[in-house]
Amino acid sequence: MERAILEGVMKLLEDGVPLAELSIERVARTAGVGKATIYRRWSGKDELFIDVVRAAEPPDPELPGTSLRDDLVALLESLRLRGLATRSSAILHNVYAQMKSSPKVWSAYHAGVIVPRRHLVMQVLRRGQDNGELRRDIDLELANDLFVGPMLVRSTLRPDGDLPEGLAEEIVDTVLEGLRPVSSTAS
Amino acid sequence: MERAILEGVMKLLEDGVPLAELSIERVARTAGVGKATIYRRWSGKDELFIDVVRAAEPPDPELPGTSLRDDLVALLESLRLRGLATRSSAILHNVYAQMKSSPKVWSAYHAGVIVPRRHLVMQVLRRGQDNGELRRDIDLELANDLFVGPMLVRSTLRPDGDLPEGLAEEIVDTVLEGLRPVSSTAS
């Protein structure tokens, strides 16, 4: 049932119906359900729309939990896959653009999707710091941006940014290692 | 003369005239010059608009040239200042939004402003690699994103991202040093 409703919204979006013209009534008609069925699950159109975005995005990653490094690689790899999906999926491209033009929907997406993802990264970093896998003198907000920033810049700010396989590993390993030559004799 | 024309455009933008409705004729009238005077300096409205953006942005930094570290700090500090200026200046906020809604103007800004800035960072990184201040086994495009990405994410993707004084130094030093504890005995 839920699936049919989400697919109904996607069909409308694919047909070019803008977010502003999507109504619960229209979604109900497209999905072949009653409006009450939709309202039992979602409090309104914005909440429904956000679940559509979530269903269209690649799923959030399973963290291996073997090390800080491996968890960070999994998190960055899922960012990379989401970036690739956004480029190749007309519907994802479309829903992100529509979300960004609606401050209300964007802030609901931010609170419901982006903030929890960020919390997950922070949790991984905190555990890494507790385990001695991450310097203890580092502000975790900064550490978050040092790992996530390079991938986000490539996937969201540069439409032509290179997102090759192995990029997640490369970013994580290089940020952990640092960019200074290892020692003056080795350089 | 040039200044008067740029200020004429800014005045129109401040008055809420959208980019699409700006015409060379209207700019000429506001600045009190003839259209020919404008065309002697700019080939069209888009080129003029980009110089307006450039004039509204904080100036590009002077590089101290003392070390890779110092040059990178200067480059990131100018990104930070531009981020702060965009938040506090209604006109900059407005021109960026208008640019992004016009693919043609955005690509002219990209080619005329963003690409040269990126080349400058790459040049600084290349010199650092030649001098032995940067690991030689690192792809410079990746190095660029590791330094610039965290600042860009805070200044452009997060309207509420923290941009405190000292952030440029903190990013550069931490990325150079790496996030792994220095040694297992020291951790």
Side-chain angles (χ1 to χ4, degrees):
Chain A
M1 180 62 79
E2 183 167 324
R3 196 69 230 168
I5 295 165
L6 295 176
E7 279 168 7
V9 179
M10 285 203 219
K11 192 183 168 316
L12 289 170
L13 292 169
E14 273 165 15
D15 290 349
V17 178
L19 178 53
E21 284 170 28
L22 266 186
S23 63
I24 293 290
E25 179 153 12
R26 197 157 173 187
V27 171
R29 219 181 318 128
T30 308
V33 300
K35 277 169 43 172
T37 309
I38 298 180
Y39 279 118
R40 258 198 297 280
R41 174 70 183 76
W42 292 279
S43 56
K45 175 179 117 164
D46 295 347
E47 291 69 23
L48 169 56
F49 183 74
I50 286 163
D51 274 356
V52 170
V53 180
R54 234 196 277 250
E57 289 180 337
D60 279 340
E62 299 266 339
L63 298 186
T66 39
S67 67
L68 168 71
R69 189 260 181 200
D70 294 348
D71 283 354
L72 285 172
V73 167
L75 289 164
L76 261 66
E77 176 65 5
S78 91
L79 262 183
R80 187 182 77 91
L81 294 177
R82 212 173 320 129
L84 288 174
T86 310
R87 287 181 195 177
S88 63
S89 151
I91 188 145
L92 259 184
H93 202 88
N94 178 0
V95 295
Y96 286 133
Q98 301 224 25
M99 272 205 297
K100 276 172 195 162
S101 68
S102 162
K104 198 165 142 258
V105 180
W106 181 253
S107 88
Y109 178 78
H110 190 265
V113 180
I114 296 184
V115 170
R117 275 185 196 142
R118 193 173 160 88
H119 281 169
L120 185 59
V121 180
M122 293 299 283
Q123 196 184 313
V124 164
L125 290 171
R126 201 166 298 121
R127 202 166 49 210
Q129 217 168 29
D130 291 345
N131 288 345
E133 296 171 279
L134 188 72
R135 277 167 56 183
R136 285 180 211 271
D137 59 337
I138 291 293
D139 173 67
L140 291 183
E141 296 277 343
L142 181 71
N144 173 81
D145 292 350
L146 296 183
F147 286 112
V148 167
M151 190 64 92
L152 270 185
V153 161
R154 288 211 189 181
S155 59
T156 69
L157 289 180
R158 291 200 212 111
D160 57 345
D162 210 13
L163 291 172
E165 223 175 296
L167 180 60
E169 286 87 343
E170 216 182 337
I171 291 174
V172 171
D173 289 336
T174 312
V175 173
L176 282 173
E177 233 25 83
L179 282 172
R180 214 190 278 288
V182 178
S183 79
S184 52
T185 54
S187 79
Chain B
M1 181 63 79
E2 184 168 322
R3 197 68 231 170
I5 295 165
L6 295 176
E7 278 168 8
V9 178
M10 285 202 216
K11 194 188 167 315
L12 289 170
L13 293 169
E14 273 166 14
D15 291 349
V17 178
L19 178 53
E21 284 170 28
L22 265 187
S23 63
I24 293 289
E25 181 156 5
R26 198 157 172 186
V27 172
R29 221 182 316 130
T30 307
V33 301
K35 278 170 43 172
T37 308
I38 298 181
Y39 280 118
R40 258 196 299 279
R41 172 71 184 76
W42 291 280
S43 56
K45 176 179 116 167
D46 296 347
E47 290 70 21
L48 171 55
F49 183 74
I50 285 163
D51 275 355
V52 170
V53 180
R54 235 197 275 250
E57 289 180 336
D60 279 340
E62 298 265 341
L63 298 186
T66 39
S67 68
L68 169 71
R69 188 261 181 196
D70 294 347
D71 283 354
L72 286 172
V73 167
L75 289 163
L76 262 65
E77 176 66 5
S78 90
L79 263 182
R80 187 182 77 91
L81 294 177
R82 214 174 316 129
L84 288 174
T86 310
R87 287 181 195 177
S88 63
S89 150
I91 188 145
L92 260 182
H93 202 87
N94 178 1
V95 295
Y96 286 134
Q98 301 224 26
M99 273 205 297
K100 278 174 193 158
S101 68
S102 161
K104 199 165 139 258
V105 179
W106 181 253
S107 89
Y109 178 78
H110 191 266
V113 181
I114 297 183
V115 169
R117 275 186 196 142
R118 194 175 160 87
H119 280 166
L120 185 59
V121 181
M122 293 299 282
Q123 197 183 312
V124 164
L125 291 171
R126 200 167 298 118
R127 202 165 50 210
Q129 216 168 31
D130 291 345
N131 289 345
E133 297 171 279
L134 188 73
R135 276 167 57 183
R136 285 180 210 272
D137 60 336
I138 291 294
D139 173 66
L140 291 184
E141 296 277 344
L142 180 71
N144 174 82
D145 293 350
L146 296 183
F147 287 112
V148 167
M151 190 65 91
L152 270 185
V153 162
R154 289 212 188 179
S155 59
T156 67
L157 289 180
R158 290 199 213 113
D160 58 345
D162 209 13
L163 290 172
E165 224 174 297
L167 181 60
E169 286 87 344
E170 217 183 335
I171 292 175
V172 171
D173 289 336
T174 312
V175 173
L176 283 172
E177 233 25 83
L179 283 172
R180 214 190 278 289
V182 178
S183 80
S184 52
T185 52
S187 78

